[in-house]
């Protein structure tokens, strides 16, 4: 060792992954620095906004009472959107509200709260600092470089988000491929609470989350989302980059089309734009995760591609939190034993695999491949609407039995029965 | 709802402009020959890239929302893109 470390642990990135890792390590009595390039923590971060709370409740037992939560999501809708029609599944459950299973959040409020909890736990929070690279000596990560400064630590945590430049530039991770990434384009639209509650059919403090498939992306792999906050709506699209570039569409054109679609327009009418943003989503699932530990370094959250997109839910924040819990276990163990080699840090991947993050990544390992199926975005929405039009679109012509209705809709769609059965089977296996 | 054009749309965001340094550099030659130019113009949600009358790509780096999409779709070497210096660039209030 050339120089004494300045900290036991340096965490780069004050998002969900970095804050929770830092918080837990400080709680174990270690000296921790948490660095973020934003003017304040959270200033660079954006998500759709539905947070599954169980790992946060595990770390902060008072999370539901004290965190800046927008609404408890008690109503989930899945909507197949076509040009002139839509078909939705509507799921409400009092249990979701009672347990606070999922809540809507805005990162501009959640992340500063998390960073504050870190400060209370003794973490040195350093906003407004961009880390330029990892500090590497003899193949070991011994800290970070920021401008003229070198900061040394026993273990460095790369929680720097989906672009993962720190590990990438050090040759420790490959650059993600366009099919493993999607761009999310989002607006936050202000509306009075009572209007939100009336339009989305929820009570005060309760919220709705709508996942949209189909015309919202003009057939590009991905989907749309409409989530309720306390006094605003989060609305956006997620577009897979390989498909977006192949179709040659402009991301803004797709996004604008979704906001202007009558379905969306009715929900947003009269609203005022508060903020417009975009951010990449890791879409590669388990195949994208790769090596999580190196000598002196662990990688957590989006920096390790830990997001699961099932087409109906984008989950990244809960996985980031779950990974942070596992990483804190591994890092604390390594520092305690004085072995910060990849082998010494192996407690992290082990804890991760045993917990819900590893298990869910495994369960949904086939999802990315399944979601590359273009029929998901182009064919099934119109097929459903055509079948329902046969049932509800009474016009004096004689009705057909339901099985004929289904067969006719199928014929009209040009998809064979065999293909549907195959897609259904693959969907059931992937999701 | 209809949103205003990009510049007006970004007017509600908070930006801290780095007057001294652009975080985006483009190799015009490579951007043209590899098709990177079309891809980044189409993909960027902030309208940072546009075609100049002389065919080169103009870069309005101050409007960048720092997603990294342009880098992900560009051919190797056509674009040098990194995060702005600490404290500069877009600062989301909602997120
Ligand atoms: C449009 C969209 C919708 C989504 N919807 C949902 C959803 O509904 N539910 C859900 O759970 N997840 C959702 N996600 C995914 C979720 O946002 C991410 O998985 C989550 O934010 C990952 O957290 P993180 O802490 O790993 O990374 P981030 O939140 O990206 O944090 C990384 C941090 O590192 C900092 N940083 C990066 N590089 C440096 C550097 N060099 N120096 C200093 N600081 C640096 C950044 O400023 C940032 O604060 C969505 C994502 C998008 C884009
Ligand atoms: S990072 Fe995103 S917002 Fe910035 S120029 Fe690239 S694509 Fe546009």
């Amino acid at each position: 060792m050339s120089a004494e470390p300045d900290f036991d642990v340096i965490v780069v990135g004050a998002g969900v992954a970095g804050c929770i890792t830092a918080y837990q390590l400080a709680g174990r009595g270690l000296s921790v620095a948490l660095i973020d390039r934003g003017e304040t923590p959270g200033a660079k971060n954006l998500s759709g906004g539905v947070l599954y709370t169980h790992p946060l409740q595990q770390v902060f037992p008072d999370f539901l009472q004290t965190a800046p939560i927008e609404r408890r999501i008690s109503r989930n809708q899945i909507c197949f959107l076509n040009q002139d029609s839509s078909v939705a599944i509507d799921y409400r459950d009092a249990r979701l509200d009672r347990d606070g299973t999922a809540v809507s959040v805005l990162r501009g409020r959640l992340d500063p709260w998390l960073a504050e909890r870190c400060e209370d736990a003794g973490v040195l929070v350093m906003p407004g600092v961009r880390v330029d690279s990892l500090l590497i000596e003899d193949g070991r990560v011994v800290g970070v470089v920021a401008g003229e400064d070198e900061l040394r630590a026993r273990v460095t945590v790369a929680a720097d988000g989906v672009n993962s430049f720190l590990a990438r530039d050090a040759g420790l991770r490959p650059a993600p491929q366009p099919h493993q990434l999607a761009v999310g384009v989002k607006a936050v639209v202000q509306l009075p609470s009572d209007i939100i509650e009336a339009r989305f059919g929820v009570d005060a403090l309760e919220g709705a989350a709508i996942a949209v498939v189909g015309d919202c992306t003009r057939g590009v792999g991905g989907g749309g989302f409409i989530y309720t906050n306390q006094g605003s709506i989060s609305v956006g699209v997620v577009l897979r980059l390989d498909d977006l570039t192949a179709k040659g569409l402009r991301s803004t054109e797709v996004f604008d089309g979704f906001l202007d679609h009558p379905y969306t327009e009715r929900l947003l009418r009269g609203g005022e734009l508060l903020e417009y943003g975009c951010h990449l989503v890791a879409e590669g699932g388990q195949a994208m995760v790769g090596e999580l530990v190196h000598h002196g370094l662990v990688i957590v959250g989006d920096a390790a591609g830990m997001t699961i997109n099932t087409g109906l839910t984008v989950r990244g924040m809960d996985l980031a939190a779950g990974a942070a819990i596992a990483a804190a276990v591994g890092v604390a163990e390594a520092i305690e034993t004085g072995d910060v080699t990849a082998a010494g840090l192996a407690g992290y991947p082990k804890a991760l695999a045993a917990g819900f993050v590893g298990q869910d990544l495994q369960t949904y390992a086939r999802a990315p491949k399944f979601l590359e199926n273009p029929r998901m975005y182009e064919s099934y929405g119109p097929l459903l609407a055509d079948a329902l039009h046969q049932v509800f679109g009474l016009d004096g012509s004689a009705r057909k039995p339901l099985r004929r209705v289904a067969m006719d809709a199928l014929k009209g769609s040009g998809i064979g029965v065999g293909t549907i059965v195959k897609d259904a089977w693959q969907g059931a296996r992937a999701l | 709802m209809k949103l205003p054009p990009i510049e007006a749309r970004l007017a509600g965001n908070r930006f801290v402009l780095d007057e001294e340094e652009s975080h985006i550099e483009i190799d015009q030659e490579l951007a043209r020959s590899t098709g990177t130019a079309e891809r980044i113009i189409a993909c960027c949600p902030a309208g940072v890239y546009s075609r100049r009358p002389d065919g080169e790509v103009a870069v309005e780096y101050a409007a960048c929302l720092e997603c990294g999409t342009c880098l992900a779709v560009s051919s190797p070497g056509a674009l040098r893109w990194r995060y702005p210096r600490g404290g500069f660039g877009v600062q989301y209030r909602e997120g």
Side-chain angles (χ1 to χ4, degrees):
Chain A
M1 266 268 171
S2 36
E4 266 303 295
D6 303 294
F7 301 94
D8 290 320
V9 184
I10 292 174
V11 181
V12 185
V16 175
C19 284
I20 294 184
T21 310
Y23 177 80
Q24 301 236 316
L25 289 170
R28 288 177 165 87
L30 299 174
S31 64
V32 183
L34 176 61
I35 307 179
D36 200 279
R37 66 190 188 86
E39 200 177 34
T40 49
K44 300 293 181 182
N45 301 342
L46 179 152
S47 83
V50 174
L51 167 63
Y52 295 88
T53 59
H54 64 95
L56 285 117
Q57 293 198 53
Q58 183 187 330
V59 177
F60 307 107
D62 61 350
F63 184 79
L64 291 175
Q65 290 74 44
T66 56
I69 284 167
E70 297 295 320
R71 288 174 183 269
R72 294 189 183 207
I73 303 299
S74 58
R75 181 175 195 186
N76 287 277
Q77 286 191 17
I78 301 162
C79 175
F80 286 90
L81 187 63
N82 311 315
Q83 223 165 5
D84 303 312
S85 60
S86 60
V87 179
I89 298 170
D90 186 1
Y91 167 59
R92 279 173 187 273
D93 201 322
R95 286 176 296 185
L96 296 177
D97 178 42
R98 185 195 63 208
D99 302 339
T101 311
V103 299
S104 50
V105 294
L106 290 163
R107 299 294 295 277
R109 277 161 228 163
L110 177 68
D111 294 13
W113 182 85
L114 289 169
E116 227 173 271
R117 298 300 291 253
C118 287
E119 267 184 336
D120 294 346
V123 174
L124 178 67
V125 181
M126 303 167 65
V129 177
R130 177 187 68 190
V131 169
D132 295 315
S133 62
L134 296 170
L135 182 61
I136 301 182
E137 285 171 1
D138 307 323
R140 306 161 179 193
V141 177
V142 294
V144 299
V145 181
E148 313 272 276
D149 299 319
E150 288 183 2
L151 285 175
R152 289 169 181 271
R154 292 176 212 284
V155 176
T156 301
V157 179
D160 54 335
V162 58
N163 283 305
S164 199
F165 287 130
L166 294 183
R168 242 164 96 179
D169 291 350
L172 301 174
R173 271 184 80 76
Q177 298 304 302
H179 75 271
Q180 294 178 318
L181 294 172
V183 57
V185 188
K186 173 183 173 180
V188 180
V189 176
Q190 187 171 36
L191 275 173
S193 312
D194 53 337
I195 291 191
I196 294 176
E197 283 146 22
R199 279 189 196 168
F200 288 83
V202 291
D203 288 336
L205 307 181
E206 283 184 29
I210 309 178
V212 189
V213 191
D215 199 46
C216 55
T217 60
R218 306 259 190 108
V220 175
F225 60 87
I226 307 173
Y227 301 153
T228 55
N229 302 312
Q230 189 47 42
S232 65
I233 309 287
S234 290
V235 54
V237 292
V238 173
L239 308 168
R240 228 177 52 232
L241 291 187
D242 59 333
D243 212 16
L244 180 65
T245 49
K247 295 200 161 74
L249 289 168
R250 279 177 176 255
S251 61
T252 45
E253 180 186 334
V254 178
F255 175 79
D256 290 4
F258 178 46
L259 263 67
D260 209 25
H261 191 290
Y263 176 87
T264 321
E265 198 277 324
R266 265 179 225 117
L267 294 171
L268 301 178
R269 194 171 293 164
E272 209 167 299
L273 176 69
L274 285 179
E275 192 170 78
Y276 173 78
C278 60
H279 199 282
L280 283 177
V281 186
E283 293 257 310
Q286 194 179 34
M288 193 175 168
V289 172
E291 295 284 333
L292 297 175
V293 293
H294 300 274
H295 197 133
L297 178 75
V298 303
I299 309 175
V300 287
D302 266 14
M306 288 172 191
T307 297
I308 296 175
N309 185 354
T310 65
L312 306 179
T313 54
V314 178
R315 287 174 50 198
M317 293 184 282
D318 60 321
L319 299 182
I325 294 170
V329 170
V331 171
E333 254 172 33
I335 290 179
E336 199 170 301
T337 59
D339 177 6
V340 298
T341 63
L345 287 162
Y348 163 38
K350 214 171 108 196
L352 191 79
F356 80 94
V357 178
Q359 286 165 2
D360 287 0
L361 281 166
Q362 178 83 40
T363 303
Y364 292 109
R366 292 175 206 268
K369 194 84 214 142
F370 173 70
L371 294 174
E372 283 175 25
N373 179 346
R375 285 182 294 278
M376 282 291 296
Y377 313 104
E378 291 164 358
S379 312
Y380 286 124
L383 174 65
L384 286 170
D386 287 350
L388 288 167
H389 187 253
Q390 292 285 335
V391 178
F392 293 102
L394 295 177
D395 57 1
S397 62
R399 292 296 96 184
K400 300 174 205 153
L402 203 54
R403 96 191 111 74
R404 270 284 301 287
V405 167
M407 288 315 288
D408 287 354
L410 251 182
K411 242 187 252 150
S413 73
I415 319 172
V417 181
T419 310
I420 293 201
V421 172
K422 201 175 101 214
D423 285 351
W425 167 242
Q426 281 178 350
R429 288 211 315 165
L431 309 178
Chain B
M1 70 191 280
K2 271 215 190 330
L3 290 183
I6 283 289
E7 301 95 81
R9 194 175 299 190
L10 293 176
N13 289 14
R14 181 174 147 70
F15 286 95
V16 180
L17 176 63
D18 188 342
E19 312 248 9
E20 285 163 28
E21 192 180 301
S22 165
H23 62 290
I24 308 175
E25 281 165 42
I26 189 161
D27 181 327
Q28 298 285 355
E29 218 21 71
L30 263 179
R32 191 196 332 259
S33 63
T34 57
T36 296
E38 283 80 43
R39 288 199 294 277
I40 59 179
I41 290 171
C43 283
C44 174
V48 166
Y49 305 101
S50 58
R51 184 76 71 181
R52 280 203 305 246
D54 65 3
E56 297 211 326
V57 178
V59 183
E60 188 60 56
Y61 74 91
C64 177
L65 297 168
E66 299 165 37
C67 60
T69 302
C70 51
L71 183 67
V73 301
S74 74
S75 302
L79 200 65
R80 183 170 169 280
W81 187 97
R82 54 199 235 129
Y83 291 131
R85 290 190 289 169
F88 288 107
V90 67
Q91 313 289 338
Y92 289 124
R93 286 174 295 208
E94 306 288 330

